[in-house]
Amino acid sequence: MGKKRKRSEKAEAVAVPKKDDAAPERPVRTLLGWKDKNETEVKDNEDSHSPVFRNKEKVLVTCSRRIIYRYRHLMLNLVSLLPHCKKDNKVESKETKGATLNELVELKNCSSCLFFECRKAKDLYLWMAKCPNGPSVKFLVSAVHTMEELKLTGNHLKGSRPLLTFSTNFEKDAHWKLLKEMLLQIFETPKDHRKAKPFHDHVFVFSIVDDHIWFRNYQISVPHNESDKLPRGGLDKMTLIEVGPRFCLNPIKIFGGSFGGPTLYENPFYVSPNQIRALQKKKKAGKFAKKVKAKTRRKMHEMSNPLEPDEFADMWKD
């Protein structure tokens, strides 16, 4: 048998590829051109440590069961005004609703919650909470007027970002400052939200009158003809046209936690709707009691002052 041929050193050198001969990685293609991988890695590291804040606010909007149609329409109007909100199914209004809502907010990846709670098919309460650590506020909602029933002429782009204006009363006390910050965070649409449009064509107005927060929504109307273009700073030609909805918020309590916790503020002027209805019933009952008393007084007066017998009473009987 023949001997095996030894592999030459030259062949071994050809067989083993060098590391330096490997093809370099292709650069990353972006909208602005080609970029090396090293540059992109450095930029990502810089962005991760950069102090720039990005607003990722998301609001969960839901309601309790047995809500009436007017209050449901108000909730849907607010959903159409807030492109950064998420809707969910109705929640049972029980003592454990706080834990249920906190869990729902976490599952929906939200940071705030608006919960419309209807009681006795008459009274509407609005819970406004920052989840999961609080604070939270409970309001009584009154003077409700939805977009459908108002039929106003104002109209603005759906999904556009609103301007938020607050009256000077919000800087008066600490609890008003807290409510202003919560309203600002919940109703302000994030800048780069995927459902938001980069326009400011309407205004949310929050004003305090008689210790109540009144909400209005206005369209910013600008002359858009070619001949009447608005110059910069020409605010005298801008007009506000109301769009709706309208409602009034009466703060009841501010809690330290989400849907509960220590009470930070309690409204001393708040009167519950049940007490108001009880007083109205007492007034009506008082009217009936007055009638009964007047009737008994009349009978007692007739008994104490009897009429003299009439001598001509039996004249025509024969």
Side-chain angles (χ1 to χ4, degrees), residues 283-296:
K283 282 183 180 178
K284 289 180 180 177
K287 285 182 181 178
F288 180 72
K290 284 179 182 177
K291 285 182 181 178
V292 172
K293 285 180 181 177
K295 204 170 185 180
T296 53

Side-chain angles (χ1 to χ4, degrees), residues 103-151:
E103 191 175 350
L104 278 174
V105 169
E106 189 178 357
L107 287 171
K108 291 284 184 177
N109 196 21
C110 296
S111 55
S112 306
C113 182
L114 291 176
F115 178 59
F116 291 84
E117 185 179 6
C118 187
R119 297 279 185 88
K120 296 185 177 181
K122 296 176 183 177
D123 310 323
L124 179 66
Y125 296 93
L126 173 62
W127 283 87
M128 192 180 293
K130 297 292 292 180
C131 301
N133 300 320
S136 57
V137 193
K138 186 180 182 182
F139 296 101
L140 174 68
V141 186
S142 58
V144 175
H145 299 282
T146 60
M147 289 184 186
E148 289 78 11
E149 67 186 62
L150 285 173
K151 295 181 180 177

